Amino acid sequence: MNGTIRLARAELRKLFTTRALPVSFAIAIVLAVGSVIVDAMVAGKNGAAPLGSDASVNQMLKFGAIPCVVLLILGILSAGSEFRHRTIIPALLATPHRARVFAVKVAVIAGLGALFGALVFGLGEITIVATLAAHGIHHLPPGAGRLYLGTVISSACFGMIGVALGVLIRNTIGAIVAAIAWTLFVEQVILAAVVPHIEKWLPTAAAIGLTNAPGPDPSRALSPVTAGLVLTGYAIALLVAASRTTMRRDIA
């Protein structure tokens, strides 16, 4: 137990002594709060739903993907950088149980992802409540709590997926480019247009099902429970593959 705690502290120390974490978190918070303000400013204009309506507030709540992308990148950096800078070698020499080192890294990133998802959504929701209150509106549409929980789960899962990709690919730049391209372009543009019945079962679509309110056509997205199970399944499958790879490949 003491060894596991020491590993967890070491992982947190490595994360909080890099610029990537505070800069990424600051950018994510600014984007989340900024997107709420922009959506509030354009509400009721050019055909947009009026401010305070369920459609308008649901649009303002669509910032759950931001912490997911941040944790995906941080997960890749936390694992891939270990191989890039060869810091994984002394880590495994000090603790030769590779499975434990890998498990602690995953747990730390998942916990950080959950906390950050909760923080970002909380700040965004506070901004929404304050904005609506300034216009005499004092209610949120049903389901806001579900979106909060969905953002927490999605952020944790994408952090774990990032760790798995960082271990499997070991090239941080290549892994980040591939992950972002798949998430934002391949899934959302190509597959959504060509095979939408398959695309909704992929990780990004599952995250959208967790972090966004249902659209006008609910059949195009997974239910929150199904989306959570699917996204968790992808995270576990990739972690299993990465774990087997880490324990068998030469680290040098």
Side-chain angles (χ1 to χ4, degrees):
M1 181 61 71
N2 290 336
T4 301
I5 293 174
R6 285 196 297 269
L7 284 173
R9 288 176 177 172
E11 286 297 329
L12 288 171
R13 192 179 302 115
K14 283 185 285 187
L15 285 170
F16 281 94
T17 53
T18 62
R19 294 181 180 179
L21 189 142
V23 170
S24 299
F25 280 12
I27 291 174
I29 291 170
V30 170
L31 288 176
V33 174
S35 70
V36 170
I37 296 173
V38 170
D39 286 334
M41 292 175 62
V42 301
K45 300 176 182 178
N46 300 321
L51 185 67
S53 64
D54 286 357
S56 173
V57 178
N58 284 331
Q59 176 62 36
M60 295 166 72
L61 285 166
K62 288 184 176 181
F63 53 80
I66 295 173
C68 295
V69 174
V70 170
L71 264 298
L72 177 64
I73 294 173
L74 285 178
I76 292 172
L77 289 175
S78 71
S81 296
E82 293 268 32
F83 293 95
R84 178 183 178 186
H85 300 293
R86 296 292 190 266
T87 55
I88 191 66
I89 297 175
L92 292 180
L93 288 174
T95 307
H97 301 286
R98 295 191 178 191
R100 182 189 298 177
V101 173
F102 182 71
V104 169
K105 185 180 291 291
V106 171
V108 168
I109 289 294
L112 185 65
L115 288 173
F116 183 62
L119 173 64
V120 170
F121 197 97
L123 291 174
E125 193 168 25
I126 289 171
T127 306
I128 292 174
V129 171
T131 302
L132 295 178
H135 292 82
I137 304 167
H138 303 283
H139 69 277
L140 292 176
R146 178 189 69 76
L147 298 181
Y148 193 114
L149 179 60
T151 300
V152 170
I153 294 173
S154 297
S155 299
C157 286
F158 268 84
M160 292 188 287
I161 290 173
V163 171
L165 293 177
V167 170
L168 289 169
I169 299 176
R170 298 191 179 188
N171 182 310
T172 53
I173 301 300
I176 290 173
V177 171
I180 298 301
W182 174 270
T183 301
L184 301 180
F185 182 69
V186 176
E187 274 198 47
Q188 294 297 291
V189 177
I190 299 177
L191 297 180
V194 178
V195 284
H197 57 289
I198 295 177
E199 181 269 340
K200 71 178 184 179
W201 293 94
L202 297 177
T204 304
I208 291 174
L210 283 171
T211 59
N212 288 358
D217 184 6
S219 64
R220 293 181 61 87
L222 300 176
S223 68
V225 174
T226 303
L229 292 174
V230 168
L231 188 57
T232 303
Y234 276 113
I236 292 173
L238 286 170
L239 287 173
V240 169
S243 177
R244 290 180 178 275
T245 300
T246 301
M247 288 187 285
R248 292 179 181 178
R249 279 165 59 180
D250 183 7
I251 62 172

